[in-house]
Amino acid sequence: MHEAEVKGYSDVLAALLEGVTGESRSKLTVYDACEEVTLPIERYIQTWVVRSGMGPNLILYATFLLDAYLLRNQEMKVTRFNRHRLIASALLIAAKTMKDRPAKNTFYAQITGVTLAELNRLERTFLVDVDFQTYFSVEKCRAYRKGFENEFVAAGGAYAKRCGKEKKASAAGAFIET
């Protein structure tokens, strides 16, 4: 595993999430924790990727899933209370999609820091929320990878729309076509 690449990708995804994270909660969702999670999101992502034995492609896939989720659920507000559970849901589904023989959810629950029942509920809800559309084409993978390698922070897809930010000149293009 390429630790530097995992750290870099984690930092970019964390910055993307930070760019869309608001302070207030309009209505509670299954993704909301009772208390704000204090663990920095980039560290949470890195820990998840390393403990799952996967590499930076897991982060790319999870970003695609988060983008798809946010595009389909525009009323959803990302907050400090739900972003860890949202990313955990995306990482879990990405890991299961990428691995021929994924670990059991009991293992992923330990990484995530929630109970098995809670993780199962998060997974089901996320899949329904994206209408089970988890396919990630080679072309989109290349676009996401290029964007990460160019170290852009708030470009493309649902993130830029929600932040009201335009792509920076160094951005590789949109994460997802709308």
Side-chain angles (χ1 to χ4, degrees), residues 70-97:
L70 292 173
L71 284 170
R72 287 178 184 266
N73 300 280
Q74 303 238 342
E75 73 287 348
M76 175 68 165
K77 296 201 181 321
V78 179
T79 69
R80 296 188 187 288
F81 293 90
N82 66 18
R83 64 185 182 172
H84 286 78
R85 289 177 180 212
L86 278 168
I87 190 63
S89 302
L91 287 165
L92 170 67
I93 294 164
K96 286 182 156 188
T97 303

Side-chain angles (χ1 to χ4, degrees), residues 5-21:
E5 197 173 14
V6 168
K7 183 183 178 339
Y9 279 33
S10 298
D11 290 347
V12 171
L13 179 52
L16 287 167
L17 282 169
E18 192 63 40
V20 297
T21 298

Side-chain angles (χ1 to χ4, degrees), residues 8-175:
Y9 279 33
S10 298
D11 290 347
V12 171
L13 179 52
L16 287 167
L17 282 169
E18 192 63 40
V20 297
T21 298
E23 295 301 320
S24 65
R25 300 191 274 187
S26 56
K27 67 176 187 172
L28 293 179
T29 68
V30 67
Y31 304 105
D32 283 290
C34 295
E35 297 177 3
E36 181 179 336
V37 180
T38 57
L39 180 67
I41 193 72
E42 62 275 4
R43 193 155 158 229
Y44 183 76
I45 296 165
Q46 289 169 20
T47 300
W48 218 102
V49 173
V50 170
R51 289 204 51 211
S52 69
M54 305 209 43
N57 285 337
L58 178 65
I59 299 168
L60 289 176
Y61 213 123
T63 304
F64 161 75
L65 291 170
L66 278 172
D67 223 4
Y69 174 86
L70 292 173
L71 284 170
R72 287 178 184 266
N73 300 280
Q74 303 238 342
E75 73 287 348
M76 175 68 165
K77 296 201 181 321
V78 179
T79 69
R80 296 188 187 288
F81 293 90
N82 66 18
R83 64 185 182 172
H84 286 78
R85 289 177 180 212
L86 278 168
I87 190 63
S89 302
L91 287 165
L92 170 67
I93 294 164
K96 286 182 156 188
T97 303
M98 292 174 65
K99 281 191 163 191
D100 289 334
R101 301 184 102 193
K104 295 183 180 198
N105 274 13
T106 51
F107 172 74
Y108 293 122
Q110 291 174 346
I111 295 173
T112 303
V114 298
T115 66
L116 177 60
E118 181 71 14
L119 184 65
N120 289 338
R121 188 172 78 156
L122 291 170
E123 179 182 21
R124 276 191 313 273
T125 303
F126 195 95
L127 284 167
V128 168
D129 288 347
V130 296
D131 197 27
F132 292 84
Q133 300 298 312
T134 61
Y135 174 70
F136 191 33
S137 71
V138 173
E139 294 79 25
K140 281 188 181 163
C141 183
R142 286 184 184 133
Y144 277 65
R145 180 177 299 285
K146 188 173 181 186
F148 270 77
E149 288 171 355
N150 286 335
E151 298 177 335
F152 66 88
V153 172
Y159 300 103
K161 288 179 185 171
R162 296 185 114 182
C163 294
K165 297 179 181 179
E166 296 184 40
K167 285 190 242 177
K168 297 181 180 180
S170 64
F175 270 135

